[in-house]
């Protein structure tokens, strides 16, 4: 906890205790997220300082670079990814002070890492072996950008569209830079009110990209609509089916996959096989595009042939063969015997370990 002056810099901070007027009347309760109107009220009440929760940190990315190096992704790939992560952090964090940089600056950072990930599949595989929530928002942006370019190339889109999808993925959550850190990095479930604020990142992202030098309506729409679902269950506009551009349908798949696979503060990391299973279920239930999910899931599963994994029973296995009809339930080897997970329905691949 710390004291902060009552001025425009207070907007978005969270009160760490109840705030009373000089007469003892409760003005704002603990955990209020301060808005510009609150600042006005506080100034009218001649309150010049309030106690707020400390701003949380995304971490420095150091943990990530040492883990990537240990995982044996080749040195060039590690250097490119870590460098891009540093620059992403720097650029995203300067937005609140210096405004949004131009599109070219973002594209320059992203191009290198996307090129490397396409060339060096080992890097991609290693991304989902990383532990910890260090630099989550920045990693998520890079990873979703990489996944979006990957899906666009699986769909055989031309290079210009592949590159557009990479940028769209990289910038899809840009609006989160306008969400108070206390909510963005909260190590637990969000309250309804907090979730409402969090959902605004789609609208903020749209506005930021529209105002950005070089930003286009199409790119801005990707930020606005990446949480829409085909069955109308998404947000912010509850669009349905074809009302959602296919670019945003790709983004939805990439975003959900990375979020499920990544280690968050409040939940354990899930294996790409479990994430693929989840995406498949969502597609069958009608919320994600089934053709996109089918191609993506098959590709991801094939990347992990030869990888070591841990089953939900705690046993270690090796992924041997991907089944065409159900790629997320492969044939695995468990100390000398083969198990076909299509027939062992109770067994799931809980974690990739190498
Ligand atoms: Fe998002």
């Amino acid at each position: 906890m710390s004291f902060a002056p009552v001025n425009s810099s207070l907007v978005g901070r969270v009160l760490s205790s109840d705030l009373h007027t000089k007469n003892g009347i409760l003005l704002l309760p603990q955990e209020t997220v301060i808005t510009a109107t609150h600042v006005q009220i506080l100034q009218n009440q001649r309150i010049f300082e309030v106690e707020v929760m400390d701003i949380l940190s995304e971490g420095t990315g150091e943990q990530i670079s040492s883990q990537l190096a240990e995982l044996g992704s080749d040195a060039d790939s590690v250097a490119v990814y870590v460098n891009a992560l540093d620059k992403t952090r720097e650029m995203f964090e300067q937005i609140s002070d210096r405004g949004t940089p131009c599109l070219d600056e973002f594209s320059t950072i992203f191009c290198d890492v996307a090129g490397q990930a396409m060339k060096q599949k080992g890097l991609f595989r290693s991304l989902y072996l990383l532990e910890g929530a260090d630099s989550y928002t920045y990693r998520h942006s890079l990873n979703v950008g990489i996944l979006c370019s990957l899906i666009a190339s699986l769909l055989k889109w031309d290079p210009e569209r592949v590159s557009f999808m990479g940028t769209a993925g990289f910038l899809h959550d840009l609006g989160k830079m306008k969400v108070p850190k206390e909510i963005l990095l909260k190590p637990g479930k969000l309250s309804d009110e907090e979730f409402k604020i969090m959902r605004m990142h789609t609208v903020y992202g749209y506005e930021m990209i529209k105002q950005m030098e070089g930003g286009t309506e199409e790119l801005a729409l990707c930020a606005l609509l990446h949480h829409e679902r085909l069955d109308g269950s998404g947000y912010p506009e509850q669009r349905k089916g074809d009302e959602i551009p296919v670019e945003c349908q790709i983004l939805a798949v990439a975003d959900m996959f990375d979020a499920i696979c990544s280690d968050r503060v409040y939940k354990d990391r899930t294996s790409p096989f479990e994430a693929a299973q989840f995406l498949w279920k969502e597609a069958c239930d009608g919320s994600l595009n089934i053709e996109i999910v089918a191609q993506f899931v098959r590709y991801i599963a094939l990347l992990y042939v030869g990888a070591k994994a841990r089953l939900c029973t705690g046993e270690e296995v090796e992924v041997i063969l991907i089944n065409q009809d159900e790629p997320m339930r492969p044939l695995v080897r468990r100390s000398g015997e083969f198990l076909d997970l299509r027939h062992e329905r109770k067994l799931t691949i809980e974690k990739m370990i190498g």
Side-chain angles (χ1 to χ4, degrees):
M1 271 170 291
S2 51
F3 283 94
V6 177
N7 55 37
S8 59
S9 70
L10 196 62
V11 175
R13 303 291 298 270
V14 178
L15 286 183
S16 60
S17 51
D18 292 346
L19 193 65
H20 297 89
T21 63
K22 293 199 173 70
N23 312 326
I25 297 165
L26 179 66
L27 198 58
L28 295 171
Q30 188 182 10
E31 294 196 357
T32 299
V33 181
I34 304 290
T35 63
T37 318
H38 292 143
V39 171
Q40 197 82 55
I41 296 169
L42 296 173
Q43 284 173 340
N44 292 346
Q45 290 289 326
R46 307 191 68 72
I47 296 172
F48 302 113
E49 210 178 44
V50 291
E51 218 178 346
V52 288
M53 291 188 190
D54 290 324
I55 290 179
L56 302 166
S57 152
E58 283 266 12
T60 59
E62 253 169 60
Q63 273 182 29
I64 298 304
S65 44
S66 60
Q67 283 185 60
L68 269 172
E70 275 169 26
L71 289 170
S73 304
D74 79 300
D76 285 352
S77 295
V78 173
V80 171
Y81 187 81
V82 170
N83 186 27
L85 187 60
D86 279 345
K87 287 194 183 147
T88 304
R89 180 184 309 103
E90 207 176 288
M91 194 166 279
F92 277 41
E93 282 180 356
Q94 74 173 28
I95 289 173
S96 55
D97 304 327
R98 284 193 265 158
T100 314
C102 67
L103 182 62
D104 274 355
E105 286 186 59
F106 285 112
S107 305
T108 313
I109 294 181
F110 182 69
C111 276
D112 277 358
V113 81
Q116 194 70 25
M118 293 296 199
K119 253 192 345 220
Q120 172 50 257
K121 301 289 187 298
L123 170 68
F124 182 86
R125 193 162 124 168
S126 301
L127 290 181
Y128 296 114
L129 295 171
L130 302 173
E131 304 272 354
D134 193 22
S135 299
Y136 174 74
T137 309
Y138 313 123
R139 275 161 59 195
H140 178 64
S141 300
L142 280 175
N143 296 354
V144 172
I146 294 170
L147 293 173
C148 281
S149 345
L150 174 79
I151 296 174
S153 28
L154 290 175
L155 297 174
K156 307 211 169 16
W157 286 12
D158 64 57
E160 206 182 305
R161 298 303 291 159
V162 170
S163 144
F164 170 83
M165 277 316 302
T167 311
F170 184 46
L171 297 181
H172 78 289
D173 264 349
L174 194 64
K176 284 194 177 164
M177 295 301 103
K178 299 235 177 216
V179 172
K181 285 231 163 65
E182 289 78 3
I183 295 177
L184 186 63
L185 304 174
K186 184 175 171 179
K189 232 176 150 228
L190 298 182
S191 68
D192 289 351
E193 188 54 32
E194 288 166 336
F195 195 53
K196 221 177 189 178
I197 297 171
M198 184 64 133
R199 282 153 72 128
M200 284 301 290
H201 78 277
T202 51
V203 178
Y204 297 148
Y206 174 82
E207 287 162 359
M208 288 161 83
I209 295 173
K210 280 287 278 185
Q211 285 160 14
M212 174 190 287
E213 194 189 320
T216 61
E217 171 75 12
E218 200 188 7
L219 195 60
L221 277 175
C222 286
L224 182 70
L225 303 175
H226 70 275
H227 285 285
E228 297 288 356
R229 299 291 176 259
L230 293 177
D231 56 5
S233 63
Y235 63 88
E237 297 182 355
Q238 285 85 44
R239 292 197 188 196
K240 275 188 177 173
D242 290 348
E243 293 166 11
I244 308 167
V246 67
E247 290 81 0
C248 306
Q249 297 179 27
I250 292 179
L251 243 165
V253 172
D255 181 31
M256 203 184 273
F257 180 80
D258 187 69
I260 300 172
C261 287
S262 304
D263 207 14
R264 298 296 296 268
V265 189
Y266 52 87
K267 75 164 178 61
D268 282 337
R269 179 162 51 81
T270 309
S271 80
F273 287 93
E274 268 192 286
Q277 184 94 52
F278 185 83
L279 293 189
W280 186 248
K281 189 179 175 302
E282 289 293 302
C284 293
D285 289 348
S287 78
L288 295 177
N289 180 317
I290 202 152
E291 279 152 42
I292 295 171
V293 171
Q295 297 228 31
F296 177 61
V297 159
R298 194 167 311 125
Y299 183 87
I300 295 293
L302 283 168
L303 272 184
Y304 287 92
V305 169
K308 289 201 175 56
R310 186 171 301 133
L311 295 180
C312 52
T313 52
E315 295 161 301
E316 260 187 42
V317 294
E318 186 187 345
V319 178
I320 300 294
L321 185 82
I322 300 304
N323 293 308
Q324 282 298 317
D325 53 341
E326 217 177 343
M328 46 287 193
R329 300 197 71 83
L331 180 78
V332 297
R333 179 162 45 207
R334 178 179 63 183
S335 52
E337 63 165 336
F338 291 100
L339 289 173
D340 189 339
L341 296 185
R342 281 178 307 179
H343 307 310
E344 308 284 342
R345 307 303 294 188
K346 287 199 178 121
L347 297 180
T348 50
I349 296 180
E350 209 170 67
K351 197 171 183 179
M352 302 311 297
I353 48 179

